[in-house]
Amino acid sequence: MYRYDEFDHEFVTARVAQFRDQVGRRVSGELTEDQFKPLRLMNGVYLQLHAYMLRVAVPYGTMNSAQMRMLAHVARKYDRGYGHFTTRQNIQFNWPKLSEIPDALADLASVEMHAIQTSGNCIRNVTADHFAGAAEDEVADPRPYAEILRQWSSLHPEFVFLPRKFKVAVTGAERDRAAIQVHDIGLHLKQDENGRLGFAVYIGGGQGRTPMVAKKIRDFLPEEDLLSYSEAILRVYNLNGRRDNKYKARIKILVHETGADEISRQVEEEWERIRHGALKLPQGEVERIREYFAAPDSLKALPPSPALAIERARDPEFDAWVERNTHPHRVPGHVSVTISLKPIGGTPGDATAEQMDIVADLAERLAFDEIRVSHEQNLILPHVEVANLKAVYDTLLASGLATANAGLVTDIIACPGLDYCALANARSIPVAQRISQRFGDTARQRDIGDLKIKISGCINACGHHHVGHIGILGVEKKGEEFYQISLGGSGDENSSIGEIIGRGFSTEEIVDAVETLVDTYIARRESPDETFLAAYRRLGQAPFKEALYGTA
């Protein structure tokens, strides 16, 4: 993973000192909140409903045990003992005192972490497949390219004040686990017929007020042209993106209104002008950065573990956890482990300081000192020996982190909603908790199978409701909270935007409505192997709408 060099250390230290002075002037009253706002946003500080919030970057979702322990320290010392992992693979602290945030940033800098470009109209944290570098099905690890993009985009003088925030995601497998088609730029790392690495390039995806699936504008971009082509896209957007209306300022609107073919033409034209210049990636530099992400020397192929089958047969709960929460690894004898931050009845994405410390200890002892944050608000140990799975499970079980629900109905994505966010219209967390409790029975969850429920407390879609198999959007109507349901969304390689099914449901009705949808799916599926999404795409809205409203 990325290591700070001398410049990074000096810059981040200077930025902390600068922000400490700005905070001091705000606390003293020398700066008004309006004057302070652009300064705090440049340092990842939001003013939420009840307090300031600090959003810390976790580049492409990768960190080590020392960094996780520091997050636990920040949660303990500057917050209320927990943090919230987000759909951009970052972490948010919801209750820090403004006067103490510079101290927290200084502590974070000591382990090469910061909050720069986690907010504002700039290029945000570049995200990646949470199994990157470990997944059995990937062509190559996409994280070196995410790091190259991070270095290029950090404090890029031309793109610090874009028309609107800008998000990039990278995946290296045919199975898209990074939701690249709902990003401003999505990059699919692939090989051409000669085995050369390059990227399929998508632009103009996104959620929010006007959700759209991205358009592919290049099927294969050579590896060495990654930065020049990205710069060409950003230049076309920065020049032509709207600045008069923030609701129409994202690149997706530009692509939609101008046309993907015309935008592609403009990008190609700009790219031809700059492609042979300083942004052409030298192979030596790519290899140098790739070395940062090399697998540990001790990560070697191992024979099958006979003890695992015995332990699974002996303990049904452990068996269920292995089935749902482990993922095939490219190195035999290893798996990737999903640590669910979705306990039944819990707040999706939250982890206590104690739990963070436990995950750090596990990573250090049994997982090659590496941790990932997924955009699904879970944690990942990407490299775990199969022989160590029972030890990992037992430790997680004792810490409330062994819920065997990865990808199931209770593995819910939810934004903080009206409990925290000043932009929200409705609460997300209580709805997620109640749905989780309603479907808490393990056997029932396994019978339902893969099902992604995603909840947002407002149209900004921080809970990714547009791409939920069942998406739930909180709205306000005459002072009351209502929840609008959409069906058939997906953020994978076959991305789709969910279709609104009908009128909204009250707080009291929404959980029953979700259960009705699930029961309808169970009754209408062709076999237990047909997922909710597959059944919906086969059946269409009609049977689900009739079950909810009584009319087709």
Side-chain angles (χ1 to χ4, degrees):
M1 65 191 71
Y2 178 65
R3 284 86 161 169
Y4 277 18
D5 60 18
E6 184 175 321
F7 169 82
D8 293 314
H9 281 290
E10 290 179 357
F11 176 80
V12 174
T13 299
R15 172 62 76 89
V16 172
Q18 179 190 60
F19 189 55
R20 189 183 299 279
D21 175 68
Q22 292 165 348
V23 168
R25 287 188 285 146
R26 173 69 189 108
V27 172
S28 71
E30 185 179 342
L31 292 177
T32 66
E33 180 54 41
D34 285 344
Q35 292 170 326
F36 182 57
K37 181 178 179 179
L39 304 176
R40 62 172 168 78
L41 288 176
M42 290 173 66
N43 292 280
V45 180
Y46 283 79
L47 182 56
Q48 297 249 87
L49 196 60
H50 307 292
Y52 285 98
M53 177 268 280
L54 173 64
R55 180 183 292 148
V56 178
V58 184
Y60 32 86
T62 297
M63 60 180 152
N64 59 30
S65 59
Q67 291 169 324
M68 181 63 93
R69 287 194 185 97
M70 180 54 70
L71 296 180
H73 162 76
V74 170
R76 236 181 240 111
K77 184 171 182 180
Y78 303 107
D79 207 281
R80 295 184 177 180
Y82 67 95
H84 176 74
F85 290 96
T86 78
T87 53
R88 283 222 68 69
Q89 299 180 310
N90 293 322
I91 185 171
Q92 295 179 178
F93 295 102
N94 289 305
W95 300 101
K97 295 178 182 176
L98 179 60
S99 60
E100 294 180 349
I101 289 178
D103 293 332
L105 291 173
D107 289 348
L108 289 161
S110 71
V111 293
E112 304 187 350
M113 299 187 86
H114 62 79
I116 299 166
Q117 289 188 206
T118 61
S119 59
N121 293 336
C122 57
I123 301 171
R124 300 289 186 88
N125 187 33
V126 178
T127 58
D129 180 359
H130 44 271
F131 295 134
E136 186 180 52
D137 60 341
E138 74 179 6
V139 169
D141 188 344
R143 291 175 303 153
Y145 305 98
E147 172 56 26
I148 289 167
L149 288 165
R150 189 203 66 80
Q151 291 188 25
W152 161 78
S153 64
S154 294
L155 305 169
H156 193 304
E158 194 174 339
F159 306 137
V160 172
F161 296 104
L162 293 166
R164 198 73 172 88
K165 58 187 175 182
F166 201 92
K167 300 177 180 181
V168 182
V170 193
T171 189
E174 286 301 320
R175 179 71 188 275
D176 180 10
R177 292 176 288 265
I180 65 169
Q181 293 183 50
V182 285
H183 278 75
D184 298 295
I185 294 178
L187 297 166
H188 175 201
L189 181 62
K190 58 195 293 189
Q191 288 179 313
D192 69 5
E193 61 276 7
N194 298 313
R196 294 185 309 156
L197 287 174
F199 304 88
V201 182
Y202 295 81
I203 65 169
Q207 298 185 64
R209 190 172 297 271
T210 312
M212 294 184 183
V213 174
K215 307 294 186 184
K216 185 195 288 189
I217 62 167
R218 222 169 207 279
D219 190 60
F220 189 84
L221 176 76
E223 174 189 63
E224 63 267 22
D225 296 317
L226 172 63
L227 291 188
S228 59
Y229 203 79
S230 298
E231 181 127 338
I233 293 170
L234 264 296
R235 284 186 173 181
V236 170
Y237 168 56
N238 202 23
L239 180 66
N240 299 307
R242 292 184 62 171
R243 297 176 186 270
D244 61 325
N245 185 336
K246 70 176 183 178
Y247 301 119
K248 297 186 177 182
R250 299 289 293 270
I251 191 174
K252 62 187 178 184
I253 304 298
L254 179 64
V255 171
H256 176 71
E257 293 186 346
T258 307
D261 290 343
E262 174 59 19
I263 291 296
S264 177
R265 186 196 66 77
Q266 292 180 28
V267 169
E268 294 282 331
E269 184 179 276
E270 176 64 18
W271 180 52
E272 283 298 329
R273 199 177 65 80
I274 65 175
R275 66 179 296 193
H276 300 297
L279 288 174
K280 197 173 193 71
L281 280 175
Q283 189 59 38
E285 182 67 5
V286 175
E287 293 300 328
R288 184 185 73 83
I289 292 177
R290 190 176 284 132
E291 281 300 308
Y292 283 129
F293 299 91
D297 292 337
S298 53
L299 186 66
K300 299 184 183 303
L302 298 171
S305 172
L308 180 63
I310 296 171
E311 289 161 344
R312 292 183 70 172
R314 184 185 299 141
D315 185 346
E317 292 186 357
F318 174 60
D319 178 64
W321 179 81
V322 172
E323 180 187 338
R324 291 306 313 186
N325 289 43
T326 64
H327 190 271
H329 199 285
R330 62 182 180 80
V331 179
H334 298 78
V335 293
S336 297
V337 169
T338 296
I339 301 173
S340 174
L341 298 183
K342 319 288 179 57
I344 303 304
T347 301
D350 277 11
T352 66
E354 291 72 25
Q355 289 173 329
M356 292 184 217
D357 279 335
I358 287 160
V359 172
D361 290 345
L362 275 175
E364 192 170 51
R365 289 191 299 112
L366 299 174
F368 300 90
D369 199 29
E370 196 167 330
I371 304 160
R372 308 282 176 81
V373 184
S374 77
H375 83 273
E376 295 170 329
Q377 297 178 290
N378 291 317
L379 299 176
I380 312 293
L381 299 177
H383 315 296
V384 176
E385 292 182 13
V386 169
N388 290 330
L389 274 176
K390 189 62 163 64
V392 170
Y393 172 78
D394 288 343
T395 301
L396 294 174
L397 184 64
S399 314
L401 291 169
T403 310
N405 65 347
L408 296 178
V409 64
T410 60
D411 186 11
I412 299 167
I413 289 177
C415 73
L418 196 54
D419 287 304
Y420 295 97
C421 183
L423 300 176
N425 303 117
R427 290 169 294 172
S428 302
I429 293 170
V431 174
Q433 291 170 325
R434 289 166 51 219
I435 293 173
S436 172
Q437 290 165 339
R438 180 70 63 91
F439 292 98
D441 179 74
T442 302
R444 188 182 187 195
Q445 291 184 62
R446 295 176 72 181
D447 178 51
I448 294 166
D450 291 346
L451 175 54
K452 296 183 182 296
I453 296 179
K454 305 184 181 186
I455 308 172
S456 300
C458 79
I459 198 64
N460 290 300
C462 295
H464 290 195
H465 70 276
H466 292 298
V467 292
H469 301 166
I470 298 176
I472 301 174
L473 168 63
V475 297
E476 184 271 332
K477 186 176 179 182
K478 296 181 180 179
E480 295 185 31
E481 297 169 67
F482 279 81
Y483 296 89
Q484 186 181 80
I485 292 176
S486 57
L487 298 178
S490 178
D492 63 11
E493 63 279 6
N494 298 307
S495 280
S496 56
I497 302 301
E499 302 170 305
I500 297 171
I501 196 165
R503 64 166 178 81
F505 295 88
S506 69
T507 301
E508 292 74 26
E509 297 169 328
I510 184 61
V511 178
D512 289 339
V514 170
E515 187 167 36
T516 297
L517 292 169
V518 173
D519 288 346
T520 303
Y521 151 66
I522 295 291
R524 299 293 295 267
R525 65 187 179 186
E526 290 186 322
S527 75
D529 294 329
E530 185 178 37
T531 65
F532 180 95
L533 182 60
Y536 178 79
R537 286 176 171 172
R538 175 176 59 85
L539 295 165
Q541 266 197 11
F544 297 95
K545 193 167 186 176
E546 184 175 6
L548 284 178
Y549 305 111
T551 56

